[in-house]
Each structure stands twice: as structure tokens, then as C-alpha cells.
Amino acid sequence: MTGRVEQAAERLKALGHPVRLAILRRVVQGPEAGTPAGELQSRLDIPASTLSHHLATLADAGLVQVAREGTTLRYRADFGVLHALTDYIWQDCCAGGAAEPPPPSPCCDRD
Amino acid sequence: MTGRVEQAAERLKALGHPVRLAILRRVVQGPEAGTPAGELQSRLDIPASTLSHHLATLADAGLVQVAREGTTLRYRADFGVLHALTDYIWQDCCAGGAAEPPPPSPCCDRD
DNA sequence: GCGCTATTTCGACAAACCTAGAATTAAGCC
DNA sequence: GGCTTAATTCTAGGTTTGTCGAAATAGCGC
């Protein structure tokens, strides 16, 4: 069983790489149905195997989800997980600190 | 020169470790003047050298600040940096996505 | 200066990560 | 089945990380 702290750490680590941050940005700005891996590859101009590796890291962390559509795989961001992560930082990690946390994101309740 | 993406990635990576997350939590919950390294060490029960290594990682990333007080070093969280980081995720990385970002933290404007 | 305490730096080792070319699987089409 | 495209998995390399004991540094009091 993976604890909450470990899960948050895994997700933060997954975000902690410039290429993966760039990937996520592209995925977020892409269509809601998901962005094909090939499109990410041509846009970011990195080898397909390297991209695939980073995508797997993001997917393993639960930050993005995959869906097959014929031969192409579409990746889309999981905003719920992303939200839970930033919430975690302020609610579970930094609660009780000297600074007021930001509001617990009452907006953005998709899924 | 380190770009904004690289900086955000470095900070996220620094957060992406269970022990460092635990350290940060302790530091946040400690006194505003900072928590001595020795107290962190006894509370978390990890070797001093290991702790020091993680503290250096957090400090290099700018997430915590150090201040000497006699022979003890006090570590305290930099909430401004922490805030800028969570804001970055939603404003610079995930802007324009399908989900509404959380409000750009109108509260908590310390620093 | 000497001793004492708090903390870091050094050194070494194993484990994990990043990169990317080559080989492989998956799906569709003829 | 064979061909083509899309993407992953395999394999291998060099680099970075995590851990921790031992040694070194920093500050204080005598």
C-alpha cells in the first residue's frame, strides 16, 4: 500500500522535469479528447522513445490518461489529480503554517 | 540563465521525495523563526548527514531558507516560493486547458 | 587554545534516471 | 498474409540521486 505522502511525492517528482512539464503543457492545451503521442513528438522535437518514456512516467503517476484510437494513442491531462496534488501541498503538507493557504479550489469540479 | 520552466521543474523535483515532503511539513509546522536541523533530525529519526543532504536540496531549490543562530541552523519555509510554484502549475503550465484553474490565489499575499 | 555541541562535507556504493537507437508490438488497409 | 504507420519496449550508455558512516567545519564557553 502506497501512502498519501509517497503518492504525492511520486507525482511531484513526475512533474519535476522540464521535458515532462513541457509535455503536460502541450497536453493541457490540446483537445479535450487527448493529444496523439505523434503530435507531441513532432511539436516537442524529441525522439519517440524518449517521449514515450516520459509519457509513461506521467501516466504511472496518474497525471495523464491514455486512450487508444486506431493506431494512435491520445494522452489527456487528469485535472482532478493535478488539483488534488496542489491541494495536498497546502492542506496536508503545509497546513498550520504561518501563511494562509489558497482557497481549497471550489471551482473546477470536472469529473 | 535558468528558465522559468527549469526552475519550476527543479522545485517540483525537490518536493518529489517522501522524506523531503516530511521535512517540509515539519518545518512549516515549526516556529516561524525556523526549526533547528537537530530538532528535525530527532523528530524524523534519520541520520544527520542524510537530513543535511535533503535540506540542502530544499534550500538550493529555494523552498526553505536558512539562518544561523549560534551553533544551530534554523530552517524555515519560503511560502512565497511555494505559492509561486503552485501558481505556476495552473497559470503557466496548465493555462488554457479544459479545466478552470483555481483562482490565482488572491488570498495569502505575503511578500 | 581546548573541549563541546551542532551541522555540514567527504567518500563510497547501490539504485534510479535520462537518453536514444534498434527491435517489437498494435492496428488498419489492400 | 504482407505492407505501412503509430507507438512502445528493449537494450545500453552515462549521469544523477539516495544513503550513511567518517571526517571536517563553525560557533561558544572556559
Side-chain angles (χ1 to χ4, degrees), chain B residues 3-98:
Chain B
R4 291 165 48 73
V5 182
E6 283 76 13
Q7 187 176 59
E10 183 193 0
R11 289 172 173 170
L12 288 165
K13 186 162 73 171
L15 285 181
H17 191 287
V19 171
R20 286 194 292 269
L21 233 31
I23 291 171
L24 184 64
R25 183 184 232 153
R26 274 265 162 243
V27 165
V28 165
Q29 292 179 346
E32 204 166 342
T35 307
E39 188 174 324
L40 293 170
Q41 197 247 308
S42 58
R43 293 250 194 208
L44 298 168
D45 195 32
I46 55 179
S49 63
T50 301
L51 172 65
S52 192
H53 167 71
H54 287 304
L55 283 172
T57 300
L58 289 170
D60 284 350
L63 295 167
V64 301
Q65 293 182 340
V66 208
R68 174 143 245 150
E69 190 175 290
T71 60
T72 80
L73 292 181
R74 286 185 171 274
Y75 287 87
R76 63 187 174 77
D78 189 325
F79 289 98
V81 168
L82 222 32
H83 235 118
L85 184 58
T86 51
D87 284 358
Y88 174 88
I89 292 177
W90 292 105
Q91 290 174 29
D92 294 70
C93 174
C94 298

Side-chain angles (χ1 to χ4, degrees), chain A residues 37-38 49 52 72-73 75:
Chain A
S49 63
S52 193
T72 81
L73 292 180
Y75 287 86

Side-chain angles (χ1 to χ4, degrees), chain A residues 54-78:
Chain A
H54 286 304
L55 283 172
T57 301
L58 288 170
D60 283 350
L63 295 167
V64 300
Q65 293 182 338
V66 208
R68 175 143 244 149
E69 189 175 290
T71 59
T72 81
L73 292 180
R74 288 184 170 275
Y75 287 86
R76 63 186 173 78
D78 189 324

